[in-house]
Amino acid sequence: MALGLTAWPAPLRAAAQPSLAEEFFDEGDYFRAITEFRRAIFESKDEAESLRLWMRITAAYMKAGRLTDALRTAQKAEPLARSKRDQARVC
């Protein structure tokens, strides 16, 4: 499934990773999903997309029964959520 992904140009890899991560998530392969979500965050330039991906990682940890990791991940996403909320107030 993921074979050959690194040979793709960076924009295509970034676009493919969230969907690959979602496939892993849907299959119950939460730790592989987390890896792909993290990879997509690293390549993402969009704060809203990064926030969504951090929340998907949180959900994957919760599904895997790793509640402490889920909490830590949600705490990492909190500054992004505050930033988006503050931007909405300015507009």
Side-chain angles (χ1 to χ4, degrees):
M1 198 176 322
L3 297 176
L5 189 60
T6 56
W8 295 3
L12 292 177
R13 273 197 323 267
Q17 285 161 349
S19 62
L20 179 60
E22 292 294 346
E23 285 182 40
F24 288 141
F25 187 95
D26 291 344
E27 293 169 0
D29 196 345
Y30 302 117
F31 296 105
R32 286 180 75 186
I34 289 166
T35 299
E36 293 304 318
F37 285 133
R38 286 184 184 276
R39 196 170 293 156
I41 289 168
F42 179 76
E43 294 189 5
S44 176
K45 306 287 188 245
D46 180 14
E47 278 189 10
E49 178 65 4
S50 292
L51 177 59
R52 186 188 75 77
L53 294 168
W54 278 114
M55 298 315 297
R56 294 301 287 154
I57 292 171
T58 299
Y61 276 127
M62 289 176 67
K63 289 276 202 173
R66 303 278 297 266
L67 301 182
T68 301
D69 290 325
L71 178 60
R72 286 186 187 134
T73 303
Q75 289 169 336
K76 288 179 184 178
E78 185 179 9
L80 282 173
R82 285 184 183 183
S83 172
K84 296 309 285 177
R85 185 186 66 220
D86 292 346
Q87 288 175 3
R89 286 183 185 165
V90 172
C91 294

